[in-house]
Amino acid sequence: MKQLGGVLALGIVLALAGCGRSPETPSKDAQAAAPAPTTPAVGAAPDKGAAAGPDAAAATGPARLDGYGAIALGSTLEQVRTAWKEPLQGDVPDDYCHALRPQGAQADDVVFMIEGKRLVRYDVRNDRIAAPGGGKVGMSLGQLQTLYPDRGDVTAHKYDEKGHNLRVRPATEGGALINFEIGGDGNVTAWRVGQTPQVDYVEGCS
């Protein structure tokens, strides 16, 4: 009986010791065998089952290299007004360069440049709308160069000696350009998409 009691006591002690064991740290071999977390490639199609994040929202925003919303670059003045479907401020009495601005909730979103009675460019000065490729007002030059690594040319700012422009060349011949204005603090203050030479008009229609 004493031997049986000793065996039972030893079993209880071992059981209690097992309950208090810390989680085992995987060995180096096990860690090496574990699959590494995957990171989607830049430009890869998003997982349809994944929640849409800021990048996904930017990708489906109104700004495009070939236009803005339902309006295509090169559209006639009549086509611009018809496609926008809401009033636009600004008259174009002749073929001279002129700006059209939305009214109401979108008044501060975008400015359309009309020249020769056609849409040749649009400008954005807020951080609510992302440019084609993801650039936004408030970003730094470094962030822009990460987004546009192969096609961005840094140029001097005409009025701010500490400022710059990042002029993003078109991906295809004859396509539109993006020009980001960067202030003296190193951050984007505005950007525009358009055809040449209008996209390079520093003063807009002035």
Side-chain angles (χ1 to χ4, degrees):
M1 291 295 292
K2 289 182 178 179
Q3 291 179 344
L4 179 59
V7 171
L8 289 175
L10 178 61
I12 292 171
V13 170
L14 291 174
L16 290 174
C19 290
R21 182 181 300 174
S22 301
E24 292 185 5
T25 302
S27 66
K28 292 183 178 179
D29 292 339
Q31 291 177 348
T38 57
T39 301
V42 175
D47 183 356
K48 293 182 179 179
D55 291 341
T60 57
R64 308 185 317 276
L65 283 175
D66 62 347
Y68 186 92
I71 305 174
L73 284 173
S75 295
T76 65
L77 176 58
E78 181 180 352
Q79 289 171 331
V80 169
R81 292 190 182 280
T82 300
W84 192 251
K85 297 181 180 179
E86 294 182 8
L88 290 166
Q89 303 177 48
D91 295 325
V92 186
D94 49 33
D95 289 349
Y96 187 71
C97 181
H98 205 84
L100 290 180
R101 302 171 183 271
Q103 296 182 14
Q106 300 182 75
D108 296 328
D109 284 355
V110 63
V111 177
F112 299 112
M113 178 184 284
I114 307 295
E115 189 174 70
K117 295 192 176 180
R118 288 187 178 274
L119 177 65
V120 293
R121 160 179 153 180
Y122 64 88
D123 292 53
V124 173
R125 294 184 176 276
N126 65 70
D127 61 0
R128 298 187 301 275
I129 300 169
K136 296 179 72 172
V137 168
M139 282 188 173
S140 67
L141 175 58
Q143 288 175 306
L144 291 182
Q145 289 175 321
T146 299
L147 293 172
Y148 309 95
D150 301 320
R151 295 183 287 119
D153 299 318
V154 178
T155 62
H157 196 288
K158 184 175 181 179
Y159 297 110
D160 187 345
E161 62 181 12
K162 294 183 179 180
H164 301 85
N165 287 277
L166 185 71
R167 190 175 186 270
V168 181
R169 300 185 304 277
T172 58
E173 186 176 353
L177 289 83
I178 313 173
N179 190 94
F180 293 94
E181 291 188 21
I182 302 163
D185 63 353
N187 296 322
V188 176
T189 57
W191 54 268
R192 55 188 182 264
V193 173
Q195 304 169 346
T196 55
Q198 293 88 355
V199 72
D200 295 318
Y201 292 172
V202 177
E203 294 86 4
C205 285
S206 300

